[in-house]
Amino acid sequence: WGGGGWGAERFRLLGTGRGGACAAWSADGVQWRDHPGNPVFESDDTLTLARHPLTGEFLAFHKRQEEVRGFLRRTVWVSGSFDFRHWSPPVPALRPAEHEDAWAAPGQRTDLYSLAAFPHATGLAGWPLWFRVEQTHAAPAPNQAADDGPIDVGFATSSCGRRWAPLPDAPAMIPRGAPGAFDHGAILGTANTLIHREGETWLYYTALSTSHGAPMPPKQVAIGRAAWRLHGFASLTCVGEAGRIVTAPLQLPSEGLLLNADARGGWLRYGLCLEDGTAIPGFTCESCEPLLARDATAWQMRWNGGERLPTGAPVRLEFELADAALFSVYGA
């Protein structure tokens, strides 16, 4: 296996083949060396790779078949590695919960097709693909899968990458298109890299014109692009009476803070406090420059009494808002 230094491993790859997940590395992205112990763990035909933003651990999310509530279902498992050489034994990351079957008639079920994760804030967020198996073809035709039904994109979060919390009762994050559209039948896969451009967040995805189990043709495969407002997949929203939100302790960047919020119908103000909740003089909600009747993806957070952000120790962010939606706060 040998060394070679970081330059010899500038590019790293993990894919499925030879009965499981196979690792490789490259200095230039053209010529690759295989891990001599491939496959490094068992895996099915979908696999995505992410890296935890705090620990640096590589996390490989892959499909496995296991029995869940009387059905053999697709589920997502995870294996981790800090050096891309030694991988931990895979453990379950996400399974279809009972409420995911609420739509199903007898003989139908929900599977979890894949999970593409990406670093977000101090943890991870991801796109679970929910496969509603409406029927199974006993004798599928050539170029046809046995299980048939639509696949939709959900949203989930995790602090560690091994325990995931899907957003409950949420609409599809990428709505499938109308009949005849390239993405009418299924969202088959998503990228795990977001592109932030001109106040929007983009995500590329693979789509099917028909449901998963339709023959090819008429099934066609295409690539699409979804777009949200910046970081716009979820928000903390307050309607009516004013609400208050206080974050966990955070280490602030030295260059400033930007606010992403929609307060066109109301207002939002913000402050800083110590870990015990004590307000920091000069950085209170009363001394901030509030967001009033405006929608902004990059509002510069300023205080009338504070010159520099207190970056020496962790602090909490405090928000007060009414008839407004808070999407994110990030470094300037």
Side-chain angles (χ1 to χ4, degrees), residues 247-270:
T247 71
L250 303 170
Q251 191 75 40
L252 298 184
S254 59
E255 64 271 19
L257 290 172
L258 298 177
L259 179 72
N260 176 7
D262 185 354
R264 284 174 292 182
W267 55 269
L268 185 152
R269 60 181 189 171
Y270 40 87

Side-chain angles (χ1 to χ4, degrees), residues 21-170:
C22 297
W25 73 100
S26 171
D28 58 8
V30 178
Q31 299 186 29
W32 292 82
R33 289 196 298 161
D34 287 342
H35 188 311
N38 281 335
V40 291
F41 56 83
E42 293 183 4
S43 174
D44 207 328
D45 62 348
T46 68
L47 185 152
T48 64
L49 187 66
R51 197 171 192 184
H52 196 285
L54 296 184
T55 68
E57 182 182 20
F58 295 99
L59 296 164
F61 301 95
H62 54 284
K63 183 198 297 180
R64 288 201 175 194
Q65 304 271 351
E66 61 173 317
E67 186 170 326
V68 179
R69 297 189 303 278
F71 287 102
L72 187 63
R73 304 181 191 236
R74 300 164 176 86
T75 61
V76 170
W77 290 49
V78 60
S79 174
S81 174
F82 287 98
D83 59 8
F84 229 73
R85 294 164 168 77
H86 306 94
W87 292 85
S88 65
V91 296
L94 191 57
R95 297 180 172 112
E98 189 170 358
H99 68 85
E100 299 291 350
D101 284 339
W103 66 274
Q108 299 177 330
R109 69 183 192 274
T110 298
D111 285 7
L112 185 56
Y113 199 79
S114 69
L115 172 67
F118 56 94
H120 190 63
T122 57
L124 297 158
W127 314 104
L129 298 185
W130 301 109
F131 181 11
R132 297 203 305 274
V133 182
E134 298 175 337
Q135 61 178 322
T136 298
H137 303 294
N143 298 319
Q144 180 180 17
D147 290 338
D148 196 8
I151 303 176
D152 288 304
V153 182
F155 187 70
T157 58
S158 175
S159 60
C160 63
R162 286 173 170 78
R163 294 181 299 277
W164 286 80
L167 197 64
D169 303 321

